[in-house]
Amino acid sequence: MIILGYNGFSQVADLFARLYGHAPDGVDRHNLIGHDAAAALIIDGELVAAVEEERLNRNKKTSAFPRNAIRWCLEQAGLDYDDVDHFAFGWNHDNAYADTTVTAVAQAPLTAEEKLTVLTTFGELYLGALGRTALIEDFTRHTGYALPDHKLVTVPHHRAHLACGRTFAGLTDAAFLINDGQAERDSAIMGEIRNGKVEVFDRFTIDFGNSLAQLFGEITRYLGFVPNNDEYKVMGLAGFGTPPAPEDNPLLGNVVTLEDDGRYALALAHDRRGPRAYAELLDKLFDGHDGNRETFEFRVRLATAAQQLVEVVTAHQLRALAAATDLRDLIFEGGLALNCVNNTKLLEDLPFERIEVSFGASDPGVSIGAAAHVAQSHAAPLAHTSPYLGPEYDTEQIRTALTAHASAVTWEELPLDQIVERTAELLSGKTVIGWFQGRTEYGPRALGNRSILANPSYPDMKDIINHRVKHREPFRPFAPLVLEEDAPTVFDLGKKHRSPYMTFVFPVRPAYREQIAAATHVDATSRVQTLTDESNPLLARLLRAFTARTGVRCLINTSFNVAGEPIVCAPDDAVECFLGTDIDHLVIGTFLVTKR
């Protein structure tokens, strides 16, 4: 069976701009349904290809219909549209959803005029993008393929997240928590998978009006960042502060109230102003005003409180789940699962013995998950653990890209062994390397095939990369890449044995804090990526060669891009990013590239 999963609506950006004021170049540009558009292909239970549309159209977090991603997946497998048995879409705005929404508006305490205004707006969005007819028209308009109605399977958003997590967790029976900004009606669900059957524990479900992730997004906006994009900056800022006692946190009680059975409620749930309603309340609780909101101290104080809020509320949820199931393995997916500081604390402080968070935990994962959900309904797909699912480029394609930039770069082609040794030699010094190899990784983290690498033993390397290369805030930390066999020596992994996707944070052992100073955050932790010879053979060889030369067991690994741009995908992207930054050398395939 051939299943193609996808996510993305061509009309959503325009509709949200017109109906809700989310300008494509404004602070709300990523607050759209269908962001992180992508496509994924499963053939006979095996995930063979997946790529995010942003890597191909070069529009970060795009919500556009993923025409390029779909075409690439099919070409990669030598297929045409007619060969596909099911096209699985990672949202399910069905008739029941529309009926429920209309009924809710009709029964709301609003004037008739207000109800009609809301319904008119909803009608435009539903008929223009969300409804089944709109989906089929969108598909046909962008692909030229008249999608038969019976081939389209709309998968509930949270079920798509869950199916993605199941695919990569390597677990059969497990509890689960899915928590993100908003699915069709809800923001969080919990339950268990037992003997292949999924059961959602309805009493734990949180509706979208009480979305913890949307609240965190509003705090992100309030701090001057872009919501649904920069939440990790808030998490990073929190490391500079000391959390208060929970009872002294202004957000706990005043903004979020914990309820029985793992539930919680937001103070301004379903306020017609949406998440922006919290700005005035945040001003009041934190004495925010024009004179202090921009200061580092104010930002840290609020970020610390917000991070603690996420930790307390999520732990509250999972304590209730742990009491409701005897399963001690947990799958955690959804945008909130990218809060890797929280993930580690949940594992260490709760009864669960294992927590798995995939590299597609946020919305890129719903394209994989939609296809996996359909596959699982027929026969469970094979467990797949590699994130390297996207395009790969051969020597001639790389040479063509270099030749096109010959006036700006010079290069030498070397055997692979020499490429590894020369790169390790360069990394021994205070050198920044653009590393481009193999298939493009999937998800928001660069996992070693489209990465910027550097030596973490130089304390100022963090500032060099933030300022000269990434063009981003100086407080932003970097992740260390470490061999799985060396990870327990350098880091206190607690219950974890591996962290291949940068979804957990661990304390750096005191003996190594100076050695990897540039990859150690201010709170003496690191967001770790563990590596094996099987998971990425070439990168493992490079790390071993670097360690043999320097005695340093880690490399800095950050995404090969600059702030605001998607991670590079094609050779042209890599060369242009290399030339637009102070990266010292580009290692692309078997070519070592230097600027003229």
Side-chain angles (χ1 to χ4, degrees):
M1 179 169 289
I2 300 172
I3 307 162
L4 189 142
Y6 72 104
N7 177 37
F9 308 81
S10 67
Q11 305 296 316
V12 156
D14 290 341
L15 286 167
F16 269 67
R18 182 163 56 82
L19 299 174
Y20 304 110
H22 293 191
D25 57 350
V27 71
D28 288 308
R29 59 186 176 272
H30 301 310
N31 272 354
L32 310 171
I33 292 175
H35 59 82
D36 295 302
L41 186 65
I42 291 178
I43 301 177
D44 296 333
E46 182 180 0
L47 177 60
V48 299
V51 66
E52 292 150 274
E53 182 70 10
E54 68 163 34
R55 306 297 171 88
L56 305 176
N57 74 4
R58 309 308 300 160
N59 180 8
K60 188 175 176 67
K61 291 186 71 69
T62 183
S63 62
F65 182 88
R67 67 167 82 186
N68 300 297
I70 290 173
R71 183 169 58 245
W72 178 82
C73 285
L74 293 176
E75 289 175 352
Q76 175 74 7
L79 300 174
D80 201 353
Y81 293 98
D82 283 325
D83 299 318
V84 179
D85 295 295
H86 297 291
F87 293 88
F89 188 69
W91 294 85
N92 183 34
H93 296 99
D94 57 10
N95 289 335
Y97 163 82
D99 288 344
T100 300
T101 302
V102 171
T103 300
V105 173
Q107 295 175 348
L110 304 172
T111 67
E113 184 175 340
E114 289 170 334
K115 289 178 182 179
L116 289 170
T117 299
V118 173
L119 287 173
T120 299
T121 300
F122 171 72
E124 287 195 56
L125 181 62
Y126 191 83
L127 296 175
L130 306 185
R132 188 176 186 86
T133 300
L135 293 180
I136 292 173
E137 290 176 350
D138 209 20
F139 195 102
T140 301
R141 180 167 56 251
H142 288 285
T143 66
Y145 174 67
L147 177 61
D149 183 87
H150 72 274
K151 282 194 174 186
L152 176 64
V153 181
T154 54
V155 178
H157 190 69
H158 281 153
R159 290 300 188 99
H161 273 305
L162 176 59
C164 180
R166 288 179 68 185
T167 299
F168 299 103
L171 299 171
T172 51
D173 293 355
F176 63 82
L177 165 62
I178 314 298
N179 200 333
D180 62 5
Q182 179 181 343
E184 293 82 5
R185 300 183 184 88
D186 307 318
S187 64
I189 62 171
M190 296 197 296
E192 65 179 22
I193 308 163
R194 196 182 293 270
N195 299 321
K197 181 182 178 182
V198 175
E199 181 181 1
V200 177
F201 298 159
D202 291 334
R203 64 187 183 278
F204 296 142
T205 297
I206 306 295
D207 68 88
F208 71 82
N210 287 289
S211 172
L212 180 64
Q214 286 196 2
L215 172 61
F216 199 81
E218 174 53 32
I219 293 170
T220 301
R221 177 214 304 275
Y222 181 86
L223 290 173
F225 303 125
V226 177
N228 204 22
N229 185 72
D230 291 345
E231 282 77 2
Y232 57 91
K233 297 182 183 181
V234 180
M235 181 180 69
L237 274 173
F240 288 86
T242 301
E247 59 270 20
D248 295 329
N249 186 331
L251 299 176
L252 285 163
N254 294 300
V255 179
V256 179
T257 302
L258 303 184
E259 299 179 342
D260 293 339
D261 216 2
R263 299 184 59 78
Y264 51 88
L266 270 59
L268 301 177
H270 303 292
D271 189 294
R272 291 193 63 200
R273 294 170 293 174
R276 299 182 194 184
Y278 288 96
E280 183 178 343
L281 182 55
L282 293 173
D283 274 343
K284 179 180 178 181
L285 294 175
F286 290 87
D287 189 29
H289 50 79
D290 291 343
N292 72 348
R293 288 194 205 94
E294 300 289 326
T295 66
F296 187 72
E297 293 76 12
F298 180 86
R299 285 176 150 192
V300 167
R301 183 162 61 92
L302 178 51
T304 303
Q307 177 64 30
Q308 184 186 56
L309 173 72
V310 168
E311 294 167 6
V312 168
V313 173
T314 315
H316 174 68
Q317 287 181 282
L318 288 178
R319 275 192 293 270
L321 179 60
T325 179
D326 60 349
L327 299 174
R328 289 297 174 257
D329 291 332
L330 178 74
I331 295 170
F332 186 16
E333 296 285 300
L336 211 64
L338 289 184
N339 192 306
C340 46
V341 174
N342 185 35
N343 295 344
T344 303
K345 292 181 178 180
L346 293 173
L347 179 58
E348 296 306 316
D349 297 341
L350 294 170
F352 295 102
E353 293 300 319
R354 180 176 170 185
I355 296 180
E356 295 297 332
V357 179
S358 79
F359 54 83
S362 55
D363 270 17
V366 301
S367 297
I368 294 175
H373 178 86
V374 176
Q376 287 160 4
S377 69
H378 291 83
L382 301 175
H384 193 98
T385 57
S386 174
Y388 309 110
L389 297 162
E392 183 174 18
Y393 300 88
D394 62 26
T395 298
E396 287 311 308
Q397 289 171 302
I398 295 171
R399 194 192 310 277
T400 298
L402 294 175
T403 302
H405 295 85
S407 63
V409 299
T410 183
W411 63 87
E412 53 182 322
E413 187 174 4
L414 300 168
L416 202 56
D417 286 347
Q418 289 187 37
I419 279 285
V420 169
E421 289 301 324
R422 286 286 298 276
T423 305
E425 179 185 5
L426 290 167
L427 287 168
S428 300
K430 193 180 286 188
T431 302
V432 181
I433 299 289
W435 179 258
F436 182 111
Q437 302 293 335
R439 294 182 71 169
T440 305
E441 55 266 80
Y442 194 87
R445 309 286 186 231
L447 297 174
N449 279 12
R450 301 291 187 273
S451 290
I452 293 171
L453 305 177
N455 187 334
S457 66
Y458 295 100
D460 60 342
M461 185 58 77
K462 179 172 79 76
D463 296 329
I464 290 171
I465 299 176
N466 272 330
H467 177 64
R468 290 173 39 198
V469 177
K470 302 284 281 187
H471 307 152
R472 66 184 199 179
E473 299 88 350
F475 64 81
R476 301 270 296 278
F478 290 108
L481 177 71
V482 63
L483 291 168
E484 189 175 297
E485 65 204 53
D486 289 338
T489 303
V490 183
F491 306 98
D492 181 0
L493 300 183
K495 294 180 183 178
K496 293 292 288 184
H497 304 289
R498 55 196 293 272
S499 178
Y501 309 136
M502 292 189 194
T503 48
F504 289 84
V505 162
F506 304 105
V508 182
R509 296 194 185 277
Y512 290 89
R513 290 174 187 169
E514 184 175 343
Q515 186 185 76
I516 63 165
T520 302
H521 197 31
V522 65
D523 60 358
T525 65
S526 291
R527 188 186 71 201
V528 174
Q529 180 191 355
T530 58
L531 182 69
T532 66
D533 295 317
E534 295 73 30
S535 64
N536 193 319
L538 186 62
L539 189 59
R541 285 174 61 186
L542 174 63
L543 182 52
R544 291 187 188 280
F546 171 77
T547 302
R549 284 178 172 274
T550 64
V552 180
R553 297 174 188 251
C554 300
L555 280 168
I556 286 176
N557 175 21
T558 188
S559 55
F560 195 165
N561 66 335
V562 296
E565 294 290 329
I567 299 172
V568 303
C569 179
D572 275 334
D573 306 330
V575 177
E576 290 170 7
C577 185
F578 171 58
L579 291 173
T581 66
D582 283 344
I583 295 174
D584 297 296
H585 299 277
L586 170 63
V587 180
I588 179 168
T590 55
F591 296 89
L592 175 60
V593 185
T594 305
K595 295 168 186 169
R596 288 191 182 276

